[in-house]
Amino acid sequence: MRLLPLVAAVLLAVAAACAPGPEPAPPPAPPPDVPADSLLFFMLDVGQGDAVLLVAPGGRAVLYDGGPGENAARDHLQRLGVDSLELVVASHPHRDHIGGLASVIRSTPPSFILDNEVVHTSATYERYLDAVVEAGVPRLGLERRTLTLDGVELEILPPPMEPTWGLNDRSVGMVIRWGELTLTLGGDAEDRLWGWWLQESMVPEGPVQLHKASHHGSRNGDIRPAIQRLRPEVVVMGVGEGNTFGHPHDEALALYREVEAQVYRTDRHGTITVTGWADGRIRVLSERGEGPDDTSAPLPPPCIDLNTASRDDLQRIVHIGPGRADQIIALRPLASVDGLLAVAGIGEARLQDIEEEGLACVP
């Protein structure tokens, strides 16, 4: 990829966000104390979804997820001057993570693809598969492995592939290490997957410099034991402005506050650019907003337990009316939120809405 145009694009974006009036300011000269051998991490602003671009010190690039829109991730890569990709990772086949990958794969075919190998029955997933086949991109087998790019180690964290687990808990995670620098990504991992990764000693002991919030800062994403172990200095999250799920939830923000992490989110900060060095230093720049988000907020009531909640409380969950609330009560006990698929009128799309909202739970 063209590294110098990429850096220039980043600086131009930051300058434009801060410039008064309609005309963008010219890009400033690169800061003199930024060495050439830095690592770049972009939390791309793709709306309500995740797309992360990693650029290793030698300029080789990796894309982790592609956001919900068909062309948003591709357009970001083109603006940043990315003309080649070593690897594309699809954490799991929900639209808000793979919606833009087909366009990226067709415009910039990566050397390799890695996903969670779970077949999904959506048109978005079919477009993704068609693009992989048409581009002839080889797929890496899913296993715990470490890939190396320009001295940067990418440890792949596979899920256990339990067929009864939801797609979020079958996300592919990644730990990025370079010298004293450690970055973590968990897709949309929820409590079961985080618990399994902890059990299998896959979660690094912190403090880590950067953590991508699981499940867009949902209350059923990151869990306390994982965050307490990671102790991230900075948390970034892909969040759509005014999203209907209420992300990020206050419970997640409270977890980050407990470890004194700074929080940056794309709905308020736009694309977030993190420069990292092998000695463990990082620098965070954002398109808009000044400084990290304020995570201080009162906690809302806990999630709605599908096995104990009243008929009225069940109807607070998206897509659940009186009839479906009665069906849920009749189906008790449910083993997981995925058990809602047995309720008439709830398919994969509505189940994803329910999971994204984060109110329904089976403790």
Side-chain angles (χ1 to χ4, degrees):
M1 64 164 286
R2 301 188 302 273
L3 186 58
L4 290 179
L6 185 148
V7 173
V10 173
L11 295 172
L12 176 60
V14 174
C18 300
E23 293 298 324
D33 60 339
V34 177
D37 58 346
S38 59
L39 176 151
L40 293 174
F41 176 105
F42 299 87
M43 187 80 227
L44 301 175
D45 183 8
V46 292
Q48 179 61 22
D50 276 0
V52 171
L53 174 67
L54 176 73
V55 183
R60 301 164 76 188
V62 173
L63 182 67
Y64 180 92
D65 286 337
E70 290 190 20
N71 298 318
R74 180 203 65 186
D75 293 347
H76 272 291
L77 297 187
Q78 290 178 350
R79 283 195 294 270
L80 291 170
V82 178
D83 55 15
S84 66
L85 289 168
E86 294 295 322
L87 175 67
V88 165
V89 177
S91 67
H92 65 295
H94 278 154
R95 185 181 67 86
D96 56 335
H97 291 256
I98 66 166
L101 289 185
S103 179
V104 168
I105 292 166
R106 288 192 171 100
S107 64
T108 313
S111 300
F112 297 97
I113 289 274
L114 190 148
D115 59 35
N116 72 351
E117 301 180 356
V118 176
V119 176
H120 195 36
T121 57
S122 68
T124 301
Y125 180 71
E126 291 178 3
R127 286 195 297 271
Y128 159 73
L129 278 187
D130 288 345
V132 173
V133 172
E134 290 170 11
V137 181
R139 297 172 75 179
L140 297 177
L142 181 61
E143 60 180 340
R144 188 176 185 181
R145 63 165 81 204
T146 299
L147 311 174
T148 303
L149 290 179
D150 303 330
V152 177
E153 294 183 348
L154 312 177
E155 182 184 359
I156 304 300
L157 307 186
M161 302 309 295
E162 291 287 344
T164 60
W165 289 13
L167 288 176
N168 289 345
D169 272 332
R170 286 185 276 179
S171 292
V172 177
M174 184 184 294
V175 179
I176 302 163
R177 296 183 177 91
W178 184 39
E180 300 299 316
L181 185 69
T182 303
L183 322 175
T184 54
L185 306 92
D188 273 0
E190 299 181 357
D191 56 349
R192 284 183 294 189
L193 181 53
W194 275 117
W196 187 79
W197 280 339
L198 285 165
Q199 176 185 317
E200 298 297 317
S201 301
M202 294 188 189
V203 180
E205 184 172 2
V208 303
Q209 284 80 9
L210 181 72
H211 174 65
K212 184 204 73 69
S214 182
H215 203 177
H216 322 289
S218 169
R219 61 173 62 90
N220 58 1
D222 288 321
I223 64 172
R224 177 170 283 104
I227 294 301
Q228 290 290 338
R229 180 170 176 81
L230 291 170
R231 289 177 288 132
E233 296 174 10
V234 173
V235 172
V236 296
M237 60 182 71
V239 186
E241 185 174 1
N243 69 87
T244 59
F245 309 111
H247 294 160
H249 292 149
D250 290 336
E251 293 94 330
L253 295 176
L255 288 181
Y256 310 141
R257 184 166 65 248
E258 287 176 6
V259 295
E260 300 182 349
Q262 296 182 345
V263 173
Y264 290 83
R265 37 194 283 193
T266 56
D267 61 337
R268 294 183 177 177
H269 295 98
T271 291
I272 301 152
T273 305
V274 181
T275 306
W277 292 270
D279 61 7
R281 290 178 300 125
I282 61 172
R283 173 181 295 169
V284 183
L285 296 176
S286 61
E287 281 186 308
R288 56 182 184 269
E290 295 183 2
D293 201 47
D294 180 8
T295 59
S296 59
L299 290 180
C303 65
I304 298 172
D305 187 340
L306 296 178
N307 287 322
T308 62
S310 68
R311 186 172 185 263
D312 288 342
D313 281 343
L314 288 173
Q315 292 177 64
R316 292 168 48 206
I317 302 169
V318 64
H319 300 312
I320 304 299
R324 288 178 182 152
D326 290 338
Q327 290 184 61
I328 293 170
I329 292 171
L331 288 168
R332 288 172 174 170
L334 281 72
S336 69
V337 176
D338 290 350
L340 292 176
L341 289 171
V343 175
I346 295 183
E348 291 286 352
R350 284 180 173 168
L351 178 63
Q352 182 178 348
D353 288 345
I354 292 170
E355 290 178 333
E356 292 285 353
E357 182 186 43
L359 276 179
C361 67
V362 177

